[in-house]
Amino acid sequence: MSNFDSISAIVPARNEEAVIAACIESLAAQPEIAEIIAINDQSSDRTLEILRQLATRIPQLRLIEAASPPAGWVGKNHAAWLGSQQANQRWLLFTDADAVLSEGAAAKALALSYQYEAVLVSFSPEQVLKTWYEKSLIPFIYLRLAQKFSFDQVNDPASNAAAANGQFLMIQRDAYDAVGGHAAIHGEVLEDVALARRVKSAGARLWFSSGEGIVRVRMYRSFSAMWEGWKKNLFQLMGGSSGSVFTELESAFPWMIFVVLLIGIKLPFAMFAGVMLLLLRQLSYGLALSRNHYPFKLIIYYLPAVFLYAGALWASHESYARGKVSWKGREYTVGVAGASK
């Protein structure tokens, strides 16, 4: 491997004691990753202790202690920026502490970058789902995102569509510096998409695809963490305006089916029609799950999925309307187009 192919992996970590070891060890197993820079973002759990233990047996691991983010900075962006300033390799791989890379993941990303002449390669990770609420909400959201952020459109240089996933985002150092890096998007809650947009707007190519068999994550380990995480991100992911939220709710939630079912309380034929329409909608969801590499059996979570999704999207809208979102003990000021604060 030449220095031309070498990667600096950058891992912001704030209270990640349950996942940080698996992440770092998976990075250390990639021959293309010459250095791993872990940024301890003021963790109050055992994250720093675990990182120090890992550093005793992983020579390419370096630790950085992050101070409080400056005014206007999102904490993750600040940590990522600090890591990038210490990186020495041609490629920068930004990854979350809950991401676990499979064998050959870095080599696959590099091969795709050369094959498609892309300066930014990102994967949407394989999701590890254990609880009923993870199995309900997370696949449903990713199916909605697949409609909004088509891989084909993102990868088409002629299209304005741009997206990336911060759980695996690899970018050439020159391209990162040219668009200002995380400093240029320091206040963005949805930093991965913002960075991808800047890169594509600069005329460079992106490659975004499924990370099945390449990188996997279990995003949330409690209902409250899952709710807080999607409450932070869903509003912007679905358009960033009140109008886009109402359009998405109208499209994603089977309103008319429930109206027909309500009518069916008095009219038995309407009840039969409503049940049949609901089963067809559920079957359509199951087929979409299969197309997007999720188990078809998750079809049984369709009803809790639509209610959780509607609730989380509306909660996200209301947070942005109030001008504040919270994540990992920090509060950030945000805004909404078409909503009063």
Side-chain angles (χ1 to χ4, degrees):
M1 181 187 66
S2 67
N3 289 336
F4 192 76
D5 292 326
S6 294
I7 300 169
S8 295
I10 298 165
V11 189
R14 178 172 169 84
N15 295 334
E16 303 284 5
E17 65 180 8
V19 295
I20 191 64
C23 174
I24 298 298
E25 287 167 350
S26 75
L27 292 169
Q30 310 288 320
E32 297 77 14
I33 295 180
E35 61 179 354
I36 305 166
I37 303 170
I39 306 93
N40 177 46
D41 187 11
Q42 299 189 314
S43 298
S44 57
D45 64 0
R46 296 182 58 249
T47 296
L48 180 58
E49 178 186 343
I50 294 169
L51 285 170
R52 285 174 172 161
Q53 291 172 356
L54 289 167
T56 63
R57 57 184 177 85
I58 299 177
Q60 63 267 48
L61 175 60
R62 287 194 283 143
L63 308 182
I64 295 176
E65 287 273 7
S68 296
W73 281 72
V74 170
K76 180 181 177 181
N77 296 342
H78 181 237
W81 175 252
L82 290 177
S84 74
Q85 299 311 291
Q86 298 296 318
N88 297 313
Q89 306 305 313
R90 179 173 182 259
W91 289 92
L92 307 178
L93 170 59
F94 295 97
T95 187
D96 286 356
D98 55 6
V100 177
L101 275 61
S102 301
E103 182 181 354
K108 177 70 171 176
L110 287 170
L112 287 169
S113 73
Y114 298 132
Q115 181 179 353
Y116 296 103
E117 299 180 343
V119 304
L120 187 157
V121 175
S122 185
F123 298 118
S124 182
E126 184 179 335
Q127 299 294 323
V128 178
L129 309 169
K130 296 192 175 180
T131 63
W132 72 267
Y133 51 82
E134 292 171 281
K135 294 174 183 178
S136 300
L137 184 57
I138 291 174
F140 193 92
I141 287 176
Y142 273 95
L143 263 58
R144 300 303 301 178
L145 291 175
Q147 295 182 32
K148 189 169 183 63
F149 297 103
S150 157
F151 290 144
D152 289 341
Q153 289 183 344
V154 170
N155 298 337
D156 182 358
S159 169
N160 291 328
N165 189 307
Q167 291 163 325
F168 188 112
L169 192 159
M170 191 182 78
I171 183 171
Q172 278 186 19
R173 180 60 190 252
D174 290 348
Y176 180 78
D177 290 341
V179 299
H182 283 86
I185 54 169
H186 60 269
E188 295 282 353
V189 173
L190 208 62
E191 85 294 334
D192 42 13
V193 176
L195 186 59
R197 285 173 176 160
R198 292 183 71 87
V199 170
K200 198 165 190 182
S201 295
R205 291 198 63 171
L206 312 178
W207 184 260
F208 187 35
S209 64
S210 168
E212 185 178 19
I214 299 171
V215 56
R216 67 186 184 277
V217 301
R218 185 181 179 197
M219 294 178 67
Y220 306 110
R221 282 167 165 72
S222 70
F223 184 88
S224 60
M226 183 185 76
W227 192 260
E228 186 180 51
W230 289 119
K231 190 173 163 183
K232 170 176 68 76
N233 291 335
L234 265 183
F235 175 78
Q236 288 194 0
L237 283 169
M238 294 304 161
S241 71
S242 293
S244 65
V245 166
F246 288 120
T247 299
E248 175 63 13
L249 285 171
E250 183 180 14
S251 171
F253 195 86
W255 301 100
M256 290 307 300
I257 293 175
F258 285 112
V259 170
V260 173
L261 287 171
L262 283 174
I263 295 172
I265 295 173
K266 294 278 183 78
L267 300 172
F269 177 76
M271 177 64 72
F272 174 77
V275 170
M276 293 305 296
L277 288 170
L278 185 59
L279 288 173
L280 287 172
R281 185 78 174 247
Q282 191 170 15
L283 177 61
S284 175
Y285 177 62
L287 295 174
L289 286 167
S290 296
R291 286 196 303 272
N292 287 272
H293 311 290
Y294 288 100
F296 181 83
K297 65 183 180 181
L298 295 182
I299 191 175
I300 66 173
Y301 297 100
Y302 173 69
L303 279 178
V306 294
F307 281 99
L308 283 173
Y309 180 69
L313 181 55
W314 185 249
S316 184
H317 173 271
E318 290 302 284
S319 287
Y320 277 80
R322 288 191 295 269
K324 299 286 185 183
V325 295
S326 299
W327 181 240
K328 293 196 173 184
R330 289 173 174 153
E331 192 172 68
Y332 300 110
T333 300
V334 292
V336 171
S340 58
K341 292 185 180 178

